[in-house]
């Protein structure tokens, strides 16, 4: 796994490099300290994952990631930041970041890198808990119909995105818990998603 690290704090970026390189099979190709350098290094190295802070100088991590993803849609960007601001989370989701974790939980860095490398989306527990609060309740019905989603399936996706369990969804929609579980399995297969977290992210990115 080849990584590029971007953080405007030189000590933090050096520490991240040390932490990451203690893991077998991981190589840090380069370290940068600005959004501008992040773009250049991504073009030069095409790393498997770009691990990047958000708050940086003239071009922040979100702006740099958006520029990179516009040119390289398959780029995997994992944000590692101190801030769980709603606007940052929304922007990270919209531009297609693969993850958003907080620096405070440094023990999660290596597992998160491995998860993103294997194709998963990774959002820390604090971020997942905040998602329902930052959701925009305005929905575009045409969008979910374009994805082949039926009305009842959309209701279930919406409730999953609010953090409800299968039992809670069943109670809300007057369905059996097994029926809800079957619905979710069908929805995940239809949308080619792995789990409820990806389903909630899909809802936010495409259906609101």
């Amino acid at each position: 796994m080849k990584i590029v690290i971007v953080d405007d704090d030189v000590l933090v970026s050096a520490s991240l490099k040390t932490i990451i390189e203690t893991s077998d099979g991981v190589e840090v190709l380069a370290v940068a300290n600005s959004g501008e350098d992040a773009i250049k290094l991504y073009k030069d190295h095409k790393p498997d994952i770009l691990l990047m802070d958000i708050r940086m100088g003239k071009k922040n991590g979100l702006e740099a990631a958006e520029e990179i993803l516009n040119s390289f849609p398959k780029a995997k960007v994992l944000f590692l930041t101190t801030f769980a601001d709603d606007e940052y989370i929304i922007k990270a989701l919209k531009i297609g970041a693969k993850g958003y974790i907080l620096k405070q939980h440094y023990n999660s860095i290596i597992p998160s890198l491995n998860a993103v490398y294997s194709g998963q989306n990774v959002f820390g527990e604090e971020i997942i808990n905040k998602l329902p609060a930052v959701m925009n309740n305005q929905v575009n019905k045409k969008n979910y119909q374009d994805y082949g989603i039926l009305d009842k399936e959309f209701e279930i996706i919406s409730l999953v995105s609010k953090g409800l369990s299968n039992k809670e969804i069943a109670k809300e929609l007057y369905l059996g818990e097994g029926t809800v579980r079957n619905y979710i399995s069908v929805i995940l297969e239809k949308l080619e998603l792995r789990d409820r977290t990806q389903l909630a992210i899909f809802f936010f990115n495409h259906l609101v």
Side-chain angles (χ1 to χ4, degrees):
M1 187 192 330
K2 300 182 186 302
I3 310 294
V4 166
I5 298 170
V6 184
D7 194 297
D8 65 343
D9 187 319
V10 176
L11 290 176
V12 170
S13 57
S15 298
L16 287 172
K17 184 175 187 294
T18 300
I19 291 170
I20 289 170
E21 289 189 329
T22 61
S23 180
D24 293 336
V26 183
E27 178 185 359
V28 176
L29 299 174
V31 175
N33 304 112
S34 70
E36 293 87 345
D37 288 343
I39 295 167
K40 181 179 185 304
L41 286 178
Y42 189 88
K43 291 177 179 177
D44 290 346
H45 294 282
K46 305 295 193 306
D48 295 311
I49 301 173
L50 177 62
L51 181 66
M52 184 157 55
D53 193 7
I54 290 181
R55 288 190 180 179
M56 296 185 294
K58 293 181 180 178
K59 189 183 291 289
N60 66 38
L62 291 165
E63 293 167 337
E66 185 170 24
E67 188 168 330
I68 290 167
L69 286 161
N70 283 338
S71 299
F72 304 95
K74 293 185 178 180
K76 294 179 178 178
V77 179
L78 173 60
F79 286 115
L80 177 65
T81 180
T82 308
F83 307 98
D85 295 18
D86 290 357
E87 62 182 290
Y88 290 169
I89 297 168
I90 292 169
K91 181 70 172 177
L93 289 167
K94 285 188 173 180
I95 65 176
K98 295 300 181 184
Y100 190 120
I101 57 176
L102 300 181
K103 289 179 180 177
Q104 296 90 311
H105 307 305
Y106 63 89
N107 288 331
S108 71
I109 294 173
I110 298 298
S112 296
L113 287 170
N114 287 328
V116 170
Y117 184 63
S118 69
Q120 299 178 47
N121 293 82
V122 178
F123 291 85
E125 184 177 350
E126 293 94 335
I127 310 305
I128 293 297
N129 289 340
K130 285 173 72 72
L131 282 179
V134 301
M135 291 289 185
N136 183 334
N137 290 325
Q138 297 298 315
V139 300
N140 184 335
K141 291 188 176 182
K142 183 177 183 300
N143 277 352
Y144 77 75
Q145 291 167 354
D146 286 348
Y147 288 99
I149 298 298
L150 305 176
D151 290 349
K152 184 62 69 176
E153 291 173 337
F154 178 79
E155 288 184 78
I156 290 172
I157 295 171
S158 177
L159 293 173
V160 167
S161 74
K162 293 177 181 177
L164 273 65
S165 66
N166 287 353
K167 185 176 182 179
E168 290 168 331
I169 293 171
K171 183 177 180 181
E172 182 79 16
L173 299 181
Y174 303 100
L175 297 172
E177 192 172 345
T179 301
V180 171
R181 188 162 49 247
N182 290 339
Y183 263 115
I184 292 175
S185 295
V186 169
I187 292 166
L188 291 175
E189 183 176 356
K190 184 180 291 188
L191 298 176
E192 298 182 351
L193 301 174
R194 291 176 184 268
D195 52 36
R196 299 169 77 95
T197 298
Q198 286 195 344
L199 186 56
I201 294 167
F202 179 89
F203 175 84
F204 184 79
N205 281 340
H206 301 286
L207 304 180
V208 302

